[in-house]
Amino acid sequence: MPFDPSTPPTIFGEALFDCFPDGSRVLGGAPLNVATHLAAFGADPVFVSRVGADGLGDQIEHALAERGMSRIGLQRDPLHATGSVQVLLVDGEPTYDIVTDRAYDHIDAAALPTLPGNGLLYHGSLALRSSDSVEALETLRARLGAAVFVDVNLRDPWWDEGRLREMIGAATWVKLNADELELLAPTGATAEDRARSLLEQHGLELVIATLGAAGALALNAAGEHCRVAPAASVQVVDAVGAGDGFASVLILGLLHDWPLQQSLERAQTFASAMVGRRGATVDDPDFYAGFAQEWGL
């Protein structure tokens, strides 16, 4: 679907805190991470979400303001608390309880901001576990007439295959990992075969699959096929949020009409830099400035 790259991208979905046993909290949620990266690169995204009328919601609103991000899409919910994930240690291994019935499960279609149409709309799958947020997304998609970037992010048990396939069917571009690709396109001897099957089945323009240590691949409707591998010297400090960094640079590539191979290489480079740091986003503007200068942003 054609889209206007001069229109600020709209990022839809969850904002939440990861809550650890020691009482510490880390702000996150894939859509918020992607919006933060895009803002740092000067893409001026509009983040559409819902947080509680509580202290954590205040912190999220303050974080958006500190990052210079628009707050017109941030709804406040007087009935439901801000999203959270309880991180627990069981026999030394972390487990995650994505707490249900939180504010981002109730994004209100009637409270959506008025936004320019024909832009790029990004969303994942977690916020679509509730009918309220599904209705809000469908309203936003119809109102914007946007080209849609779907970042599949399956978290058991919070997804439904039928709804997921509907979501992909309405997409223009889809990013997913190797496990998600095998689940959605199980036939095919290779990841490339499965990606091509998914692309053709849903009439997509582009499928991007991240393959862990094997890098990533991309296939588009024009028959272009690209692959990239991470550098051998990548030091992993924290892999949380690497996929969100990868997605944000892919979106930059779409906004700036970079060649597909170049977009994939830049996304891999940025994700490799992210895993060398603690946290899913970076507060240091100089970290982003180096990439922005190299990429001519």
Side-chain angles (χ1 to χ4, degrees), residues 15-17 49-61 74-84 101-106:
L16 51 80
F17 280 90
S49 190
R50 191 171 178 89
V51 297
D54 51 25
L56 294 182
D58 292 342
Q59 290 183 46
I60 290 176
E61 187 162 5
L74 188 68
Q75 303 175 6
R76 302 300 296 264
D77 191 321
L79 300 178
H80 302 93
T82 297
S84 64
D101 201 30
R102 292 299 169 125
Y104 70 79
D105 292 309
H106 301 279

Side-chain angles (χ1 to χ4, degrees), residues 66-254:
E66 279 197 325
R67 296 168 181 179
M69 296 168 63
S70 169
R71 287 165 284 162
I72 63 170
L74 188 68
Q75 303 175 6
R76 302 300 296 264
D77 191 321
L79 300 178
H80 302 93
T82 297
S84 64
V85 176
Q86 298 296 326
V87 183
L88 304 174
L89 293 177
V90 178
D91 296 329
E93 294 295 323
T95 63
Y96 305 94
D97 176 17
I98 305 175
V99 181
T100 61
D101 201 30
R102 292 299 169 125
Y104 70 79
D105 292 309
H106 301 279
I107 301 173
D108 185 359
L112 292 171
T114 300
L115 299 171
N118 299 316
L120 181 149
L121 170 63
Y122 164 101
H123 70 85
S125 47
L126 179 57
L128 303 186
R129 66 183 181 175
S130 71
S131 58
D132 286 346
S133 291
V134 169
E135 180 184 357
L137 176 64
E138 291 175 347
T139 299
L140 190 62
R141 191 168 57 211
R143 185 183 298 174
L144 296 180
V148 180
F149 187 111
V150 168
D151 193 353
V152 178
N153 192 14
L154 302 186
R155 295 291 181 266
D156 289 332
W158 306 120
W159 63 279
D160 173 82
E161 184 168 353
R163 179 174 288 176
L164 178 63
R165 290 192 179 276
E166 289 177 4
M167 179 178 83
I168 293 174
T172 310
W173 315 283
V174 170
K175 171 190 162 288
L176 69 178
N177 65 30
D179 291 338
E180 292 159 347
L181 177 61
E182 187 166 0
L183 186 151
L184 293 169
T187 59
T190 66
E192 287 88 346
D193 292 339
R194 290 189 286 274
R196 187 174 294 105
S197 174
L198 188 69
L199 182 141
E200 293 173 352
Q201 180 182 356
H202 294 283
L204 301 167
E205 289 188 11
L206 175 66
V207 172
I208 309 101
T210 56
L211 307 173
L217 67 85
L219 294 172
N220 65 21
E224 193 173 2
H225 171 208
C226 302
R227 287 202 70 139
V228 64
S233 59
V234 173
Q235 180 180 6
V236 178
V237 174
D238 183 0
V240 174
D244 304 333
F246 194 97
S248 68
V249 176
L250 292 175
I251 291 171
L252 284 177
L254 293 168

